[in-house]
Amino acid sequence: MASFGPVFAGFRLPWLAAGALWLCASAWSHTVLENTALLGMSPDQVAAALPGAQPVRSPRRLPSGALGSLRVPDALCEGAHFEQTLFFAHQKLAQMDLVLLNPDSGPGAEEALAKAQAALLQALRAKLGPELAAFGAAPGAMADSASWAGADADVMLFRSGRPGHPSLRVVIRQRQLVDAGEL
C-alpha cells in the first residue's frame, strides 16, 4: 500500500502558506499612495481590495454629500495604526479619513503624538514631496496641519484635540479640479 503522507504534505504546504499570506494581507501596511489608488472605486471593488472593510453602523455624511459607509477598524498606513472610514459619492470612493488609533492620553500624550506626527510627516514628504501648506498654532512648533496635492488626490494631515487627549488624522480625497470660470 502506498503512503501519501509526504505527497500530501508537499501539496498542502503551499496551500497553507498561500492561506496564511491571504489572512495577513489586511495587516500589511499600506502607503498613502496605495490608498489613493482606491479612489474612484465602487464599494464592491473597495471591499475586495480591503478585506477588513466593514459596513458602518451609523454612516456620517460629509458636507460634500459623500457618505461614510465602510470602515476598516485597524488599518496600517505608513507604519501607524488608524481607524479608516471610507466615504462614497455616486457609488465611487471619494474620500478616506484615517484617525490614529489609541493615541496616548495623559501627561506624555502630546510628546507621543508629536513623535507619531513627525514620523508620518517624514513618510509623506518622502512619497509626496514637501507640503504645499502647513499651519501651526505657535511659531517654530510642528504644524497642526499640512497638505499635499498629487495628480489624482489631495492629502491632508491634521493634529487636533484638547490637552491630554490629542488626535492625529489623515484625509485622502479625490482631487476636484474646478475651472476658474466656475468660481
Side-chain angles (χ1 to χ4, degrees), residues 96-162:
M96 292 172 265
D97 283 13
L98 296 107
V99 178
L100 187 66
L101 284 175
N102 302 324
D104 291 335
S105 60
E110 292 296 326
E111 185 179 323
L113 189 77
K115 286 181 183 178
Q117 182 183 11
L120 194 53
L121 271 170
Q122 184 178 3
L124 290 170
R125 286 174 182 151
K127 289 173 177 54
L128 303 170
E131 53 268 32
L132 298 175
F135 301 97
M142 190 173 300
D144 291 327
S145 68
S147 62
W148 295 263
D152 298 329
D154 293 322
V155 177
M156 294 151 286
L157 175 64
F158 301 99
R159 182 180 69 187
S160 61
R162 57 187 199 275

Side-chain angles (χ1 to χ4, degrees), residues 34-84:
E34 289 169 331
N35 275 317
T36 60
L38 300 173
L39 293 170
M41 288 186 175
S42 72
D44 291 338
Q45 291 171 317
V46 171
L50 298 174
Q54 306 167 351
V56 172
R57 288 188 186 150
S58 298
R60 181 173 57 107
R61 190 169 298 277
L62 297 174
S64 67
L67 185 66
S69 54
L70 288 176
R71 70 183 274 275
V72 179
D74 187 359
L76 193 58
C77 182
E78 303 294 349
H81 292 268
F82 294 89
E83 178 180 14
Q84 182 177 28

